[in-house]
Amino acid sequence: MALYQRGTQASRAALMDIARRADLRFGLWGGLKRIYKLAEAHHDAELFGVLAWRFDVERHRPSASREVSGGTLTYLRRRAWRYLRHLGAAVPELYPQFAVEVLRHYAPDTSWYGVWVAHHIWAHGSGKYSQDSFAMPPPGDMVKHRAFPDAWKRSPDALMRLLDVCESDPAASFAIQGLRKDFPEALRKVTPAWLDRLARRPLGSAHDFLVETLQARPSSTRAGCASSACTRRCWRCCCPPAPRPAPTPSSTPAPTRRTCRRSAWRSSWPRAPRT
C-alpha cells in the first residue's frame, strides 16, 4: 500500500512489476487486493489492467506457488469483467483505454482456453461462455462479436497503442482488425516513426500488417520511408531502396593501371637543371 500511496513514477513501476511477477502469498495478496479496489475506485487504468490480467491468467496456473484459492481468483476476474462492462455502458469513451490496459499483458504462452476477461473483450457477443468458463481459442474474426463495438469506433488511438505495447499475437490481431474495419483512413496517414516502432515489435501479425500497410501506401511515401527509417528486413521486402547519388566527375584524371605510387612520387620531385 505504501508504494501506491507514494504515487511516484518509480513506485508505480515497482508496483507494476510486483503485480506481474510476485508469488501470491498471504500478506502481499491482501495489499494487492486493496490496491485493485482502489484502482477501480480511482479509475486507474494502468494498475487495474495489470491486476485484472493477473487474476485472469492465474486462475488456471499451477497453485503450488500461491496461497490464494481458485474461488477467490474466479470471483476477482468476474469482478474485473463486470467493472469493464459497467464502464462500457456508462462511460464508453473510457472503455477502450481500460480494455487495452488488460489486453496488453497477455503473453505469447497464455493458455487461452483458461482466460475469461480477454475473451469477453473480443468475443462477448458470441455467447460461448458459461457462469465461470469461456473455453475457446482466440477467434479468427476478432471484431464480429467484440463487446461495445461503438466504443471502439470513437478513435483509433486505443487500438494503435495496443499494437504498440501488446505482448501476444491475439491482442495484436484484435488491434489490427479493429483498425482495418473502423479506421482505414487513419492507416493511410500513419507516420514513418509509428511504422518504425511497429517494425521493432517481436510479433508476426504486426510484421505482416506492416508489410500490407506499406504496400498500400503511395510509392513516393514508401521511398521516403526507405530513406529515413527503413532498416529492417520486413521493410526491405516492400520499400524500394533509396537511389544512390550519381558519382561526381573528378578534376584530376584517374591513374592508369601502370601508374604506381613510386613513379608518382618520383615525378613530383623537381628535376635538376642540365649543365
Side-chain angles (χ1 to χ4, degrees), residues 24-25 58-70 73:
L24 300 183
R25 304 279 185 181
E58 193 71 32
R59 176 63 182 83
H60 286 277
R61 284 178 177 172
S63 58
S65 62
R66 71 169 189 252
E67 297 176 349
V68 182
S69 69
L73 291 169

Side-chain angles (χ1 to χ4, degrees), residues 251-262:
S251 57
T252 59
T256 60
R257 249 181 175 178
R258 295 180 180 178
T259 305
C260 63
R261 291 184 179 179
R262 182 176 294 180

Side-chain angles (χ1 to χ4, degrees), residues 97-162:
Q97 177 190 354
F98 278 73
V100 162
E101 289 300 322
V102 179
L103 291 177
R104 62 174 293 192
H105 294 287
Y106 290 91
D109 61 349
T110 297
S111 177
W112 294 107
Y113 279 88
V115 304
W116 173 265
V117 182
H119 285 333
H120 274 290
I121 292 172
W122 56 47
H124 177 74
S126 69
K128 296 180 180 179
Y129 55 90
S130 63
Q131 188 172 356
D132 59 355
S133 174
F134 209 142
M136 61 176 287
D141 187 342
M142 306 192 81
V143 296
K144 182 177 181 180
H145 297 298
R146 61 185 171 175
F148 304 104
D150 291 339
W152 292 104
K153 296 176 183 178
R154 291 171 172 264
S155 169
D157 294 346
L159 292 171
M160 294 182 80
R161 170 168 166 73
L162 179 59

Side-chain angles (χ1 to χ4, degrees), residues 40-110:
E40 281 189 347
H42 298 162
H43 301 295
D44 187 331
E46 189 178 37
L47 279 170
F48 167 83
V50 69
L51 288 168
W53 159 79
R54 182 68 190 274
F55 300 154
D56 196 18
V57 297
E58 193 71 32
R59 176 63 182 83
H60 286 277
R61 284 178 177 172
S63 58
S65 62
R66 71 169 189 252
E67 297 176 349
V68 182
S69 69
T72 299
L73 291 169
T74 296
Y75 161 74
L76 284 168
R77 69 178 189 168
R78 288 174 62 83
R79 174 173 173 154
W81 168 241
R82 185 172 69 242
Y83 175 84
L84 286 174
R85 191 175 72 245
H86 291 168
L87 190 68
V91 196
E93 59 270 20
L94 287 182
Y95 171 78
Q97 177 190 354
F98 278 73
V100 162
E101 289 300 322
V102 179
L103 291 177
R104 62 174 293 192
H105 294 287
Y106 290 91
D109 61 349
T110 297

